[in-house]
Amino acid sequence: EVRSRHGPIMNEGRLQSLAGAVAEDVGGGCVPREDSVVLGGVNMHFPEMIFGDDVLSLRHEASGLTVEFTAEGAMTCWARLQAAAAAGDGSTAASVVDVVKVPQAQQYMWSRADSRSEAGAPSAAAAGADVATTRQEYDWCYVTDYALSLRRREATVAGEGAHQPQQQEQQEQGQEEQQAVEEERVEGMGVEEGRERPVGATALPRPPFEVCAESAINWDLLRTRDAPILFYDEMTLYQDDLHDHGEVTAELKVRVMPTCWFVLMRVFMRVDHVTVKLRDTRVFHQFGTSFVAVDVSWREASHAELAPSLPPHPQDTALLRDANQLSRLLPVVNEGKGVPQHARLPLDVGSGATP
């Protein structure tokens, strides 16, 4: 079963709810605000446009497992990365976070140091050191390691001890002879989690993912031209113009064919004259198999590294805005980020099961 839902940009009320959910998941003193969360004294604002109602759900009926893609999941994983980086624990998650600085940032730092010196503060050098140790930093470019969200439907026969109070309450409300109680549960893998909310900042290395040496995606099946596309959709989870310094967009595309489904989620970030990053997560399931294949491709390069491949005219920025073209130019940096490229997600059902 495949469900795709679209909606408007989150309003103030929805942003407050999102902040509360993210803060609860991250924990560790993370405090929600109207349109942000505060962690370690740093007020981390959300992107300008979050499409909280844009949700893609793909349910595997035999196992009761649902794979989802949501803006809340993307923002939750982004916030977890900031928490890991702030902790400075040297984890893989902390190594993923990169605080990008634009040229104006250094000018701001020096001007602030000079103003402190003129006001009778310590010397410029000392003030600069003070600024360096107290400035509030976070990934304001919103590059998340979000892979996907999981929900599992569990059925419990009426009368089992753990659920007796709930069933008695339902009977008191006039429900007759209910046979099963279904409960939605989210499982943790460095992705968006719901009630259980185990903390995990990276996606692929954590259970229930199984890291693979090679891709488990059946590319030949996807390249088949005679197979009709039964369903296709695309949506945006969030986007921001990065204070007019570039852009970041998290979007996804899905197609369903008679034999499989395939999702591409892409996070594209560009800061003018500084850096370009591209994180592609490809999720694939072939009907009749007992797993979901996940491939992650993390690419990035500085503007200086890309310069030889750019057009001679500085005003021609079309290439820098074309993620498809840049994917051929940007080097893969998974190993440096500690992020595996290939993994499988077991569905815990027999190989003959169908979705």
Side-chain angles (χ1 to χ4, degrees):
E1 179 183 0
V2 180
R3 294 186 178 183
S4 177
R5 187 180 69 199
H6 294 263
I9 299 171
M10 276 186 164
N11 57 25
E12 292 183 3
R14 293 290 308 281
L15 284 174
Q16 289 181 359
S17 299
L18 173 64
V22 171
E24 181 181 354
D25 183 285
V26 173
C30 188
V31 180
R33 291 281 182 89
E34 292 184 356
D35 60 349
S36 62
V37 291
V38 179
L39 179 64
V42 180
N43 190 20
M44 304 187 303
H45 288 274
F46 292 137
E48 288 182 344
M49 291 179 284
I50 301 180
F51 297 86
D53 289 325
D54 283 23
V55 178
L56 174 65
S57 301
L58 304 109
R59 170 170 290 182
H60 187 271
E61 293 293 347
S63 66
L65 191 71
T66 298
V67 174
E68 280 192 338
F69 300 87
T70 69
E72 181 178 335
M75 286 292 95
T76 297
C77 284
W78 167 77
R80 287 185 195 162
L81 288 176
Q82 313 315 306
D89 55 8
S91 65
T92 299
S95 68
V96 169
V97 177
D98 180 18
V99 180
V100 177
K101 294 182 175 63
V102 297
Q104 291 85 345
Q106 187 61 42
Q107 298 174 7
Y108 167 75
M109 298 297 294
W110 281 111
S111 64
R112 182 177 177 184
D114 291 342
S115 64
R116 287 167 57 90
S117 178
E118 293 173 0
S123 65
D130 179 58
V131 170
T133 56
T134 61
R135 64 177 182 267
Q136 300 178 349
E137 295 183 340
Y138 68 98
D139 177 20
W140 56 278
C141 297
Y142 309 107
V143 178
T144 178
D145 69 341
Y146 178 61
L148 50 84
S149 302
L150 284 178
R151 289 190 294 113
R152 186 184 294 278
R153 184 182 68 247
E154 294 181 337
T156 304
V157 177
E160 289 190 4
H163 294 281
Q164 282 181 354
Q166 181 180 2
Q167 290 165 357
Q168 291 174 359
E169 180 181 350
Q170 291 171 339
Q171 290 173 356
E172 291 174 359
Q173 294 174 353
Q175 298 184 5
E176 299 179 357
E177 299 181 355
Q178 180 172 346
Q179 298 299 316
V181 177
E182 288 191 348
E183 180 182 84
E184 292 285 342
R185 176 168 65 86
V186 181
E187 298 190 341
M189 40 177 274
V191 298
E192 184 223 2
E193 285 112 12
R195 299 174 206 165
E196 294 185 354
R197 300 189 186 282
V199 175
T202 57
L204 293 189
R206 295 179 59 85
F209 279 127
E210 298 174 351
V211 177
C212 306
E214 298 180 350
S215 175
I217 296 177
N218 188 336
W219 293 105
D220 292 334
L221 194 63
L222 288 174
R223 295 187 184 105
T224 302
R225 294 184 177 275
D226 56 355
I229 296 178
L230 305 178
F231 176 78
Y232 175 85
D233 198 9
E234 53 186 82
M235 62 180 61
T236 301
L237 299 181
Y238 64 84
Q239 63 185 55
D240 193 287
D241 67 1
L242 304 181
H243 308 282
D244 294 327
H245 288 296
E247 64 177 314
V248 62
T249 303
E251 57 188 5
L252 59 91
K253 298 179 181 180
V254 57
R255 57 173 161 139
V256 181
M257 298 185 292
T259 55
C260 62
W261 56 255
F262 177 76
V263 177
L264 169 62
M265 186 179 71
R266 168 168 287 176
V267 179
F268 173 58
M269 187 276 286
R270 168 185 58 83
V271 177
D272 294 333
H273 310 296
V274 180
T275 187
V276 177
K277 298 184 181 183
L278 185 66
R279 190 179 193 276
D280 286 342
T281 302
R282 295 174 172 86
V283 187
F284 168 85
H285 175 62
Q286 182 175 346
F287 302 153
T289 63
S290 59
F291 65 90
V292 173
V294 181
D295 281 9
V296 173
S297 174
W298 194 308
R299 301 172 182 271
E300 66 178 67
S302 67
H303 184 83
E305 292 169 332
L306 280 175
S309 303
L310 298 178
H313 304 291
Q315 66 271 19
D316 186 1
T317 61
L319 177 60
L320 290 174
R321 299 174 184 273
D322 190 333
N324 291 325
Q325 292 288 341
L326 287 171
S327 65
R328 302 184 180 95
L329 301 175
L330 297 171
V332 177
V333 296
N334 285 60
E335 184 175 354
K337 297 290 186 180
V339 178
Q341 288 185 272
H342 314 296
R344 302 198 326 172
L345 174 67
L347 294 175
D348 299 325
V349 296
S351 59
T354 56

